[in-house]
Amino acid sequence: MHSKQSKWLWAAALFVYGFLYVPLIIVVAYSFNDSKLNAEWVGFTFKWYELLFQNEQMLVAARNSLLIAVVSSFFATVLGTLAGLAMHKYKLRLLPVLVLTPIAIPEILMGVALLIFFVMLNMTLGLVSVALAHIAFCIGFVAIVVRSRLQGMDESLVEAARDLGASPVQAFRLVTMPQISPGIIAGALMAFTLSIDDFVITFFTAGAGATTLPLQIYSMIRIAVTPEVNAISTLLMLLTLGLILIASKVAPSAIRAS
């Protein structure tokens, strides 16, 4: 009976993982296909990657995505770290709700709310509005990672530093900061990944001339999924997976907690 259940579990697991990863493998494989159509395999080529790096619109979109991701991940890391410290130190019921609500609500609702907010402020939509939206969205993720790292920290070390004459700032800089730095780095990498991959919130908060990679890919696949789209999707997927792997190595317990 146990052996039969194990076989069904293995079959279900293989089906689920196949459903998730086989399409990704197909996208990667067809990015090297020597044909404009994705109907059949013709031959191996790198020309779609060469054309990709000659596409001015794609390069501008990539530059915008990287700029927004760097800026938003920096400020989200700073604010998210402070939020994580506050949630760990002050056991207020309302504080986690305020910090984590952007994570819980649907992205489309978040995008519409931010769009209305920017319009009320009479703010021109562009790269700045997208960066602000990404900061608001990523703060909660950084706060979760930092707070989980703080929960595993030995508080007696901070108390010992204070007993030895260290000020609160010195105790934080010399004791707390080195212990939670893996969580901060993991949170920053996660924020960067979420920002560079985001489509829904960016779609609502981007104005004319603020095209990012996800928006550019969307505009291209509305006509047809070309090998050039497969190529940029492959590069974007490799970048995202690489950052997630780095974050999991830096702070595995914090990533599992989030």
Side-chain angles (χ1 to χ4, degrees):
M1 187 67 180
H2 179 72
S3 176
K4 188 175 181 180
Q5 290 178 345
S6 298
K7 290 180 180 179
W8 278 108
L9 287 174
W10 273 106
L14 289 174
F15 174 78
V16 172
Y17 283 115
F19 181 79
L20 291 174
Y21 293 109
V22 168
L24 298 179
I25 295 173
I26 293 173
V27 168
V28 174
Y30 274 89
S31 69
F32 299 100
N33 187 20
D34 192 11
S35 173
K36 290 185 177 180
L37 303 176
N38 287 320
E40 61 179 352
W41 180 266
V42 175
F44 188 88
T45 183
F46 284 106
K47 72 178 182 181
W48 304 115
Y49 289 90
E50 296 174 0
L51 291 174
L52 179 64
F53 287 104
Q54 296 172 4
N55 189 325
E56 186 66 26
Q57 290 182 333
M58 191 66 73
L59 293 177
V60 171
R63 183 198 64 192
N64 291 340
S65 288
L66 289 173
L67 177 62
I68 292 170
V70 170
V71 172
S72 60
S73 61
F74 173 78
F75 286 101
T77 300
V78 174
L79 297 175
T81 300
L82 296 175
L85 289 167
M87 287 191 296
H88 177 73
K89 185 175 182 180
Y90 305 106
K91 308 301 180 182
L92 301 176
R93 293 183 179 181
L94 184 61
L95 185 58
V97 175
L98 294 175
V99 175
L100 304 181
T101 295
I103 299 176
I105 63 176
E107 280 195 50
I108 189 169
L109 178 58
M110 183 79 172
V112 172
L114 288 169
L115 172 60
I116 295 173
F117 178 71
F118 291 143
V119 171
M120 288 177 61
L121 293 178
N122 202 21
M123 181 177 178
T124 303
L125 299 181
L127 297 180
V128 175
S129 61
V130 175
L132 291 174
H134 286 194
I135 291 170
F137 175 65
C138 294
I139 286 175
F141 290 95
V142 178
I144 290 177
V145 176
V146 172
R147 185 178 65 169
S148 65
R149 186 73 182 181
L150 285 166
Q151 289 174 345
M153 188 183 72
D154 188 359
E155 295 288 348
S156 62
L157 295 176
V158 179
E159 295 174 1
R162 297 284 286 122
D163 291 338
L164 292 173
S167 66
V169 175
Q170 289 175 326
F172 174 78
R173 182 171 59 86
L174 299 175
V175 180
T176 304
M177 192 69 174
Q179 292 190 75
I180 67 172
S181 57
I184 295 174
I185 295 172
L189 293 173
M190 184 178 295
F192 184 90
T193 302
L194 292 169
S195 175
I196 205 168
D197 279 351
D198 183 77
F199 171 79
V200 177
I201 295 176
T202 306
F203 180 81
F204 283 99
T205 57
T211 304
T212 61
L213 271 179
L215 295 180
Q216 181 66 26
I217 292 172
Y218 173 72
S219 66
M220 294 173 69
I221 64 173
R222 293 176 67 180
I223 302 174
V225 180
T226 64
E228 195 173 354
V229 173
N230 293 335
I232 186 60
S233 300
T234 299
L235 294 176
L236 192 58
M237 180 175 61
L238 290 176
L239 175 62
T240 302
L241 291 176
L243 292 174
I244 292 174
L245 287 174
I246 293 172
S248 65
K249 294 293 184 181
V250 171
S253 59
I255 296 298
R256 285 194 298 269
S258 63

